[in-house]
Amino acid sequence: QVQLVESGGGLVQPGGSLRLSCAASGSIFSLSYMGWYRQTPGKQRELVASFSGGGSTAYADSVKGRFTISRDNAKNTVYLQMNSLKPEDTAVYYCNSHITTWGGSLGNYWGQGTQVTVSS
């Protein structure tokens, strides 16, 4: 059993900062891809930032220079530091990871989502 649990969302004023965390737990042998996505009502889920299996990062153009993705391999945790937040960053943020279990199966896992609201 593998679980991804996000935390750190909330309400923040424009220009403010938040740090999201996503901790993976369970029978984990290895994590390759890890990423953050976001979704607003009526729209498709979109990639915000990600780590590839080789460790390279990618960002959506709308967040470049403001958001930073990082990871702590020892804790199986990925973070998203969000600075200079804008109202258009308001969304439910989801963590995603490709995880190989000790049983040898590779799966695509999602967290439950955490709400980020940017408003004055």
Side-chain angles (χ1 to χ4, degrees), residues 14-27:
S17 298
L18 281 175
R19 188 193 195 206
L20 306 183
S21 299
C22 172
S25 62
S27 179

Side-chain angles (χ1 to χ4, degrees), residues 16-18 20 36 38 46-49 57-70 79-86 88-90 93 116 118:
S17 298
L18 281 175
L20 306 183
W36 287 97
R38 65 186 180 188
E46 64 173 1
L47 174 68
V48 177
T57 58
Y59 293 91
D61 287 343
S62 59
V63 307
K64 282 180 181 176
R66 299 188 298 122
F67 291 12
T68 302
I69 189 171
S70 61
Y79 304 96
L80 185 67
Q81 178 66 43
M82 305 185 293
N83 298 328
S84 302
L85 282 160
K86 304 175 181 180
E88 50 264 42
D89 295 317
T90 296
Y93 284 70
V116 171
V118 184

Side-chain angles (χ1 to χ4, degrees), residues 42-116:
K43 291 190 176 181
Q44 284 192 332
R45 196 170 294 187
E46 64 173 1
L47 174 68
V48 177
S50 67
F51 267 111
S52 71
S56 59
T57 58
Y59 293 91
D61 287 343
S62 59
V63 307
K64 282 180 181 176
R66 299 188 298 122
F67 291 12
T68 302
I69 189 171
S70 61
R71 63 192 290 178
D72 184 332
N73 292 328
K75 296 181 179 179
N76 289 334
T77 299
V78 64
Y79 304 96
L80 185 67
Q81 178 66 43
M82 305 185 293
N83 298 328
S84 302
L85 282 160
K86 304 175 181 180
E88 50 264 42
D89 295 317
T90 296
V92 178
Y93 284 70
Y94 296 90
C95 175
N96 173 254
S97 183
H98 301 170
I99 296 173
T100 302
T101 67
W102 282 104
S105 62
L106 172 62
N108 183 33
Y109 295 89
W110 290 92
Q112 82 284 358
T114 185
Q115 176 71 45
V116 171

